[in-house]
Amino acid sequence: MKSLELKVKKKMHTTEGERYLEFTDKIDQGDFICLVGHSGCGKSTLLRMLAGLTNPDEGKISYGDEVWYDKQSGKNIEPQKRHIAYMFQDFALFPNMTVEQNIMFAQTKVDKEMIKELINIFGLNNLEKVRPTKLSGGQKQRVALARALASRPSILLLDEPLSAIDWHMRPALQDEIIKAHKYLGGISIMVTHDQQEANKMGDRIITL
């Protein structure tokens, strides 16, 4: 069983001045982690360091036997080789592509059977040829989740995926994310400001 291990330090420039993020943890395969904490404490920065979009000032990040980042040795594996899918707050769907095309975009070699399975799992049947501008917020989230899983990532990063969703829709979409995590069978790390959401979804809650 592979684990994600990280020990990192990062200076952050926030609206309240300079802050320092220090984080050390080991996350096992199958874990769903919820990151909570006030704005500017480094939750999104931590996700970006894991994804390789931001470099720590010090430390090391490894997954199983693979070292992704090591300040001391100078090793820094590019984001596309880190087995990670990153789901942003705004879902970042391509407006010129259909639902099906958005999901397919995540695959270097298209697996039509898997695309069909994901469309079915997330209840996107009959929406395959529809473009994102015609979808509701909940439908867009399901497309973004399906696309994130289409690349078969080992780690799923979710940066406040429900922040723009109406409160009455949230419980059902929380269940969709849990379903996605179980389908993935790997590690999921989600940033949220909602303590109740974290209590419902997380196997473990980490407060920064």
Side-chain angles (χ1 to χ4, degrees):
M1 180 184 293
K2 290 186 177 181
S3 296
L4 175 65
E5 297 187 52
L6 59 160
K7 184 176 183 179
V8 294
K9 295 182 180 181
K10 180 71 176 177
K11 180 194 290 186
M12 302 182 299
H13 301 280
T14 73
T15 54
E16 299 177 10
E18 287 187 352
R19 288 191 172 180
Y20 292 84
L21 171 65
E22 294 189 30
F23 188 86
T24 301
D25 204 355
K26 178 182 178 183
I27 302 171
D28 294 324
Q29 185 175 340
D31 283 352
F32 193 118
I33 303 297
C34 284
L35 293 177
V36 298
H38 58 78
S39 296
C41 69
K43 302 183 298 297
S44 295
T45 299
L46 184 59
L47 292 195
R48 290 180 62 83
M49 286 193 287
L50 284 171
L53 303 175
T54 298
N55 291 332
D57 296 328
E58 298 179 41
K60 184 176 180 179
I61 301 172
S62 61
Y63 177 65
D65 296 329
E66 301 177 14
V67 175
W68 288 353
Y69 179 88
D70 185 1
K71 177 68 173 180
Q72 190 170 5
S73 69
K75 189 164 188 178
N76 189 10
I77 298 298
E78 53 265 41
Q80 59 267 33
K81 293 185 179 179
R82 294 196 183 197
H83 320 290
I84 279 175
Y86 200 134
M87 185 171 160
F88 297 92
Q89 293 178 29
D90 63 357
F91 309 138
L93 300 177
F94 298 105
N96 60 322
M97 294 184 184
T98 64
V99 165
E100 186 177 49
Q101 290 168 338
N102 264 283
I103 300 170
M104 282 183 180
F105 187 82
Q107 297 184 330
T108 51
K109 185 178 180 181
V110 175
D111 182 342
K112 290 186 177 180
E113 286 303 312
M114 184 181 187
I115 299 297
K116 192 181 296 183
E117 182 181 6
L118 288 169
I119 285 172
N120 184 58
I121 286 172
F122 291 106
L124 297 168
N125 308 84
N126 303 319
L127 295 173
E128 296 98 322
K129 306 303 178 184
V130 176
R131 296 180 190 272
T133 52
K134 303 293 185 182
L135 300 177
S136 68
Q139 289 167 338
K140 288 178 183 177
Q141 190 218 33
R142 292 185 177 101
V143 176
L145 278 171
R147 184 179 63 183
L149 297 185
S151 62
R152 294 187 175 89
S154 300
I155 298 170
L156 178 62
L157 304 180
L158 304 126
D159 193 353
E160 296 190 73
L162 303 179
S163 61
I165 302 296
D166 292 339
W167 66 268
H168 65 277
M169 294 177 61
R170 286 194 174 200
L173 296 178
Q174 289 165 358
D175 292 340
E176 293 288 344
I177 291 174
I178 293 170
K179 184 194 298 182
H181 169 70
K182 290 178 178 178
Y183 178 89
L184 180 64
I187 292 169
S188 295
I189 304 174
M190 186 176 83
V191 168
T192 178
H193 278 99
D194 188 326
Q195 187 66 49
Q196 288 185 328
E197 188 168 84
N199 291 340
K200 173 183 175 179
M201 301 180 69
D203 299 315
R204 187 153 57 95
I205 299 170
I206 298 174
T207 302
L208 296 186

